[in-house]
Amino acid sequence: MTSYRVHAALPDPPSQNEEDNKEEEKAFGNIFAELESVDLPLGTTLRSIYDDQPNAHKRFMEKLDARIRNHDREIEKMCNFHHQGFVDAITELLKVRTDAEKLMGQVTDTNRRLQEAGREVTAQTEEVICCRIQQRNMATTVEKLQLCIPVLEMYSKLKEQLESKRYYAALKTMEQLEKVYIPRVSQYRFCQIMAENLPRLREEIKEISMSDLKDFLESIRKHSDKVGETAMRQSVWMSPQAQQHRTFNSAVMKQASMGHYAKPVYSLNGRTHTHNGLMMDEDTGDEEEADEEILTAQDLVDFSPVYRCLHIYTVLGDRETFENYYRKQRKKQARLVLQPQANMHETVEGYRRYFNQIVGFFVVEDHILHATRGLVTRAFTDELWNMALSKIIAVLRTHSSYCDDPDLVLELKNLIVIFADTLQDYGFPVNRLFDLLFEVRDQYNETLLKKWALVFREIFELDNYSPIPVETEDEYKLVVSRFPFHDAEIEKQDFPKKLPMSQSVPQIYTQVKEFIYASLKFSESLHRSSTEIDDMLRKSTNLLLTRTLSSCLQNLIKKPHIGLTELVQIIINTTHLEQACRYLEEFITNITNVSPETVHTTRLYGLSTFKDARHAAEGEIYTKLNQKIDEFIQLADYEWGMAESDGRASGYLMDLINFLRSTFQVFTHLPNNNNDHASMSGKVAQTACMSACKHLSTSLMQMLLDTELKQISMGAIQQFNLDVIQCELFASSEPVPGFQGDTLQLAFIDLRQLLDLFMVWDWSTYLADYGQPTSKYLRVNPATALALLEKMKDTSKKNNIFSQFRKNDRDKQKLIETVVKQLRSLVNGMSS
């Protein structure tokens, strides 16, 4: 472009020379050339004209007008040159117009006549064309309908299957629609709508089947207890023990009808004998149960929702999702089933419902495992069972510890056995449950021991602790049938007669046997050998004897109302119970058929129980005798300052001696039916008598040496000497036979030598012979003599027994002072 240089080419003012005018003409010529060019923009060119020197636009307008006039003259010249040719052309055209109008009329007329002639043919042709089109459309329609009708029929079939809830068949129909039918007519809108609906229908089927599965899971959770109850009943019914029981019952009924059989009764609580926790009452009629059809889990549960849902998810290619959901839900239900009720331990029904639910759960899982081929695996069921087993053991261990009723613990054991046997039949390992039963057995034994502790206490409280009187032969046989008592001498006696033991002995013996029966009940169905059962019975019986019965005996002996007579009878009773222990061992042997000579057989060491009880009773006899002696001594009322004695023994002491005489006569009732018993009874009586005499001697000595007693007169010493003489006479009268020589009198030797020393006032002999084995006053301790001698002195010289000596014989007074000094010297020497 050159427009940007226009202002440089503008002409100078008129005052310039001619050369400048030419330049100006040339510049305007360039501008007009640019303006006449249709391709150039005018804005820049015009702006260059007006933006240049002042008055440039006027010169431009003048030049422009001149240029326009020049062009007008050229146009006029050209028109004048071509005017004649234009006129000739118009004249010829007017001539052709007339011919054209004539030809147009002819053509129009010909067309009209042609139209009129072909109007009928045209109408028939259109009809033919319409028929041809209809035929083609009909053929096409038939062809397309032949393709569409099967699709519609299949879709209708699909709707019917959905309405009838045949979802698996509906999925098959959908698959055929998608792969075979719809592709043939996919161009049609209704097929497109069908194709769009099929995924939605599949989702609906999945949702419906999942909803059915959820309903099934909820239903099976509610009815698990019924399934479990049925499975456990079936397991019990098919067990060998139950079959043996039914055979035994029919034999019993046959014998009973012939009058040859009487059913033994040795029930703990009078209940009907049970097997595995289910009532086996002979009167219920086992034949009726045999005729009843025992339903299985398959009969009680409709598993079709599971199968249907599994098939549906398998067809839809989403089986893994279904398997994961099912297993997750069953794990949750397993945790709910394993959660016990808070008060489950209070009744057996609580345990039964708990076990029924668990068995029902795993019976269902076992059926699913074998019927669905992969919905659950053995590893999954094993994992569930191991988790459940740990929880079950923890629950049973906790709740069984709350049970204090042995009957409830026994029923719990029976339920555990049925529970374990049932699940073992379905292939679940249950060894840990049988191991748990050993813990439950210990709990059962503890509850039995507590119950029998109450039984023993009641027996001891109701006992009169006197020999059993028997008036007739029948009464004697009744006692002997309950307790193994044999005594040839008593059997020779005429009726009425008395048996040496009291009524508690046969009762205790019978209750021990009942305890063995009760302990045996727990050992049933534990799948243990006879040796193990024998060991269990012996150990539990040992616990009963050494802990429960021993504790009851010890408490009985310590009771305040048990007197000496009762203690003597207790010694007799424990002797007979100790003898009966060998019969208890035979009783256990007969039950278990295990010989006592078998290696590792536990022996009944309950013998020590009765020996300890006898020793405790003997010790209590000694204690009570000493307490009675203390009571009499507390009645002593000596006048320690009397001038001379009354000449007769004190009343309290005579009463005490009479009491001792009558008491030791009781020991003649100790058992003496053989030499061993006689020696034992004599030993007890002798020990009691010696203990009483020693205690009496010690008490009298303590009375003399009492620190609160400050003064004793010689008259009091003489009176005290009379009382000691009565004690020595009692000892020499042989209150209990069997003492050799003056053995019993030696219990008072310390008192005798001390009193003789003061009565004879033989200090010279005492001091001269002190420390020699042949001393006449060997048993007199210097400290004892000094203490008593100090009590006989009165430093105030008032009523002093030595006052006459001082008046009559001052040498003797000096002798007394000398004795005191020498006694003190002996005492100091002993202490050093």
Side-chain angles (χ1 to χ4, degrees), residues 342-354:
N343 58 345
M344 185 178 72
H345 63 277
E346 295 179 357
T347 62
V348 71
E349 289 301 322
Y351 289 106
R352 184 175 285 112
R353 285 193 299 269
Y354 182 66

Side-chain angles (χ1 to χ4, degrees), residues 117-132:
R119 184 176 289 115
E120 184 176 353
V121 176
T122 301
Q124 292 178 356
T125 301
E126 290 178 355
E127 291 179 1
V128 171
I129 292 172
C130 288
C131 288
R132 294 280 178 88

Side-chain angles (χ1 to χ4, degrees), residues 298-311:
Q298 295 85 347
D299 301 322
L300 296 173
V301 180
D302 179 16
F303 290 95
S304 58
V306 181
Y307 306 148
R308 186 163 53 246
C309 198
L310 177 62
H311 286 313

Side-chain angles (χ1 to χ4, degrees), residues 35-268:
L35 291 175
E36 290 173 357
S37 177
V38 296
D39 295 332
L40 295 175
L42 301 178
T44 305
T45 303
L46 295 175
R47 189 181 299 111
S48 65
I49 295 171
Y50 286 95
D51 291 343
D52 206 355
Q53 299 175 4
N55 300 322
H57 64 284
K58 289 183 179 182
R59 294 193 300 272
F60 172 73
M61 293 302 295
E62 292 173 356
K63 295 294 181 182
L64 181 61
D65 290 339
R67 186 139 180 120
I68 291 171
R69 287 191 301 271
N70 188 27
H71 281 298
D72 287 341
R73 285 193 298 269
E74 289 179 0
I75 292 171
E76 185 178 358
K77 287 179 181 180
M78 188 174 288
C79 286
N80 289 335
F81 179 78
H82 292 288
H83 176 70
Q84 186 61 41
F86 175 73
V87 172
D88 293 341
I90 292 301
T91 303
E92 290 180 2
L93 184 61
L94 291 174
K95 293 179 180 180
V96 174
R97 178 179 180 183
T98 304
D99 294 336
E101 288 178 354
K102 183 178 179 179
L103 181 61
M104 184 64 182
Q106 292 175 355
V107 171
T108 302
D109 183 59
T110 301
N111 181 60
R112 178 182 57 75
R113 286 185 287 107
L114 182 62
Q115 292 294 333
E116 290 177 356
R119 184 176 289 115
E120 184 176 353
V121 176
T122 301
Q124 292 178 356
T125 301
E126 290 178 355
E127 291 179 1
V128 171
I129 292 172
C130 288
C131 288
R132 294 280 178 88
I133 293 174
Q134 289 177 357
Q135 288 178 352
R136 186 174 66 251
N137 290 341
M138 290 176 64
T140 303
T141 302
V142 170
E143 181 183 355
K144 298 303 180 181
L145 285 175
Q146 288 176 349
L147 295 175
C148 293
I149 287 175
V151 179
L152 296 173
E153 289 177 348
M154 291 297 290
Y155 195 79
S156 176
K157 180 180 178 181
L158 173 62
K159 289 293 186 181
E160 292 177 357
Q161 290 171 343
L162 292 175
E163 291 176 358
S164 60
K165 298 183 179 180
R166 297 162 53 202
Y167 300 118
Y168 181 70
L171 290 174
K172 291 295 185 182
T173 304
M174 288 184 192
E175 185 178 2
Q176 291 180 351
L177 280 171
E178 283 183 330
K179 295 182 177 180
V180 180
Y181 293 96
I182 291 181
R184 298 174 184 174
V185 289
S186 59
Q187 68 273 22
Y188 297 110
R189 180 175 177 79
F190 78 91
C191 289
Q192 296 175 1
I193 296 174
M194 285 183 185
E196 293 173 356
N197 284 338
L198 291 182
R200 181 181 57 80
L201 292 176
R202 281 194 176 93
E203 290 300 323
E204 289 181 0
I205 290 175
K206 287 178 67 175
E207 292 176 0
I208 292 172
S209 61
M210 184 58 71
S211 177
D212 291 343
L213 176 67
K214 291 178 180 178
D215 293 341
F216 166 81
L217 293 176
E218 182 65 22
S219 174
I220 200 65
R221 187 180 69 83
K222 294 180 180 178
H223 297 90
S224 290
D225 55 346
K226 182 63 177 177
V227 176
E229 180 184 0
T230 303
M232 292 174 72
R233 184 183 296 112
Q234 184 181 18
S235 176
V236 171
W237 182 255
M238 299 305 295
S239 65
Q241 295 90 344
Q243 294 177 4
Q244 294 175 3
H245 180 79
R246 291 193 292 273
T247 304
F248 173 75
N249 280 349
S250 76
V252 169
M253 296 301 292
K254 183 177 180 180
Q255 293 291 332
S257 63
M258 299 173 62
H260 295 161
Y261 181 81
K263 184 177 69 173
V265 178
Y266 41 83
S267 173
L268 172 63

